[in-house]
Amino acid sequence: MKSFAVTGYGPDGLALADVPLPEAGPNDVLVQVRAASINPLDKMIRNGEFKQLLKYKPPFVLGHDVAGVVTEVGSDVTGFTVGDEVYSRPRDLRIGTFAEFIAIDQADVALKPASLSLTEASAVPLVALAAWQALVDVAQVEPGQKVLVHAGAGGLGSTVIQVAKHLGAYVATTARAKNVEKLTRLGADEVVDYTKQDFADVLTGYDVVIDSLGEASLEKSLTVLKRGGLAISVVGPPDPAFAAQIRQPLLKPVMALMSRSIRKKAKKLGVRYSFFFMEANGSQLKHLAALYDSGVLKPVIDRTFDFGDTLDAMAYVEQGKTTGKIVVTQGEDTA
């Protein structure tokens, strides 16, 4: 089957490749891919930024989000049948949605939101799971708390805004002025135009910050938190708790050293720091599907590309100017 596989780590490491059709194990569903969205994580995996933690061996098919149709179910699969329209963020070490088919563990799959097309559904698994897990499982956000979301116009940021608002938080975000109206409609109470203002000069007393920009933004974010507040970063540095999450306890000292500086700065300010890396979870996707169907959450898509233009889609994402998600489609019309 046709796929886009990482043939070697680096910026030019992704290429069109013919690979064997995946086989569905006893607990797997085989999914014909109709749409797959692109995430910054795809670039990071392609470039080898996690190669010491996630032991992918090139060549391997890239892609972390999918929506499609079940064509085969394993002998131990319950709850899914051939013909079901599903969506998923496959678990780490079993990714590969930039392909015609993918075999996914049933625990990572859910029926897609009935109100969304396959194109729309493919745009939400990773960012919706990340938003839910960061705000609910990690931060335990409660009504009335204040949440700052950086890069609100991005795929993750636009979803975090919606989930935080659903949880009853007061939500601030950083973005360009042209996106203010759109982000306000998504639920942002305050939008700071980062081209004209420093968010640290105008925001204070926040309970939670979700940062996806990097070290400079993260360090400054610590200063807008109230005492006991929590800064969560999806781009690092990894902390000791992450070693436990990926079941590599021997890496705990290494990650403690990597995050020592930011944790020390957080402690000095009386706040907390946590590195976040989302996990596949079909049960949470089922819950999130209900939120999309009820209109509480909405997918945000910048544009779509044909499957054959996946490399162009990746390059577009890497420009860092997208508003929402980029989706690659194939097969029948999924709009």
Side-chain angles (χ1 to χ4, degrees), residues 53 138 230 237-260 263 273-277 279:
L53 304 176
V138 178
L230 176 64
D239 60 9
F242 182 55
Q245 178 181 332
I246 61 174
R247 298 175 179 84
Q248 295 193 41
L250 295 179
L251 291 178
K252 186 174 180 180
V254 176
M255 294 183 182
L257 182 62
M258 293 174 65
S259 60
R260 179 181 178 183
R263 289 187 294 111
Y273 165 72
S274 177
F275 174 70
F276 175 78
F277 197 87
E279 295 184 276

Side-chain angles (χ1 to χ4, degrees), residues 39-268:
N39 297 279
L41 180 59
D42 294 312
K43 180 192 75 171
M44 298 169 76
I45 295 294
R46 181 203 64 193
N47 290 352
E49 294 181 32
F50 287 101
K51 64 182 179 182
Q52 301 302 321
L53 304 176
L54 301 174
K55 304 295 185 178
Y56 293 106
K57 296 181 180 179
F60 62 90
V61 181
L62 194 61
H64 291 80
D65 272 329
V66 65
V69 179
V70 174
T71 60
E72 181 183 339
V73 297
S75 57
D76 295 335
V77 170
T78 58
F80 299 101
T81 60
V82 172
D84 283 343
E85 293 186 333
V86 297
Y87 77 146
S88 175
R89 191 293 201 187
R91 64 188 58 184
D92 296 314
L93 302 181
R94 292 200 62 183
I95 63 170
T97 63
F98 297 167
E100 294 178 298
F101 291 86
I102 181 173
I104 313 172
D105 191 294
Q106 64 175 332
D108 303 342
V109 181
L111 296 176
K112 79 166 182 66
S115 61
L116 302 186
S117 68
L118 287 164
T119 295
E120 292 170 327
S122 76
V124 302
L126 186 149
V127 292
L129 285 171
W132 188 263
Q133 292 171 11
L135 294 172
V136 176
D137 298 342
V138 178
Q140 299 180 354
V141 170
E142 298 179 353
Q145 289 188 320
K146 297 171 68 176
V147 175
L148 169 60
V149 184
H150 284 298
L156 176 60
S158 59
T159 307
V160 174
I161 289 171
Q162 296 179 70
V163 173
K165 197 63 180 177
H166 168 64
L167 296 173
Y170 175 92
V171 185
T173 190
T174 57
R176 292 180 180 272
K178 67 178 183 179
N179 294 314
V180 170
E181 183 178 349
K182 178 180 291 186
L183 298 182
T184 300
R185 289 200 303 269
L186 290 177
D189 297 288
E190 187 172 354
V191 181
V192 179
D193 180 355
Y194 66 84
T195 67
K196 297 180 180 179
Q197 289 181 301
D198 187 328
F199 72 88
D201 293 336
V202 295
L203 302 178
T204 187
Y206 276 73
D207 297 278
V208 180
V209 176
I210 306 295
D211 182 68
S212 59
L213 299 177
E215 183 178 354
S217 173
L218 176 59
E219 289 187 7
K220 194 176 294 184
S221 294
L222 298 177
T223 68
V224 308
L225 289 168
K226 64 193 300 184
R227 288 193 67 83
L230 176 64
I232 299 174
S233 174
V234 299
V235 293
D239 60 9
F242 182 55
Q245 178 181 332
I246 61 174
R247 298 175 179 84
Q248 295 193 41
L250 295 179
L251 291 178
K252 186 174 180 180
V254 176
M255 294 183 182
L257 182 62
M258 293 174 65
S259 60
R260 179 181 178 183
S261 176
I262 192 67
R263 289 187 294 111
K264 185 176 180 180
K265 291 174 182 176
K267 184 177 181 181
K268 187 176 181 179

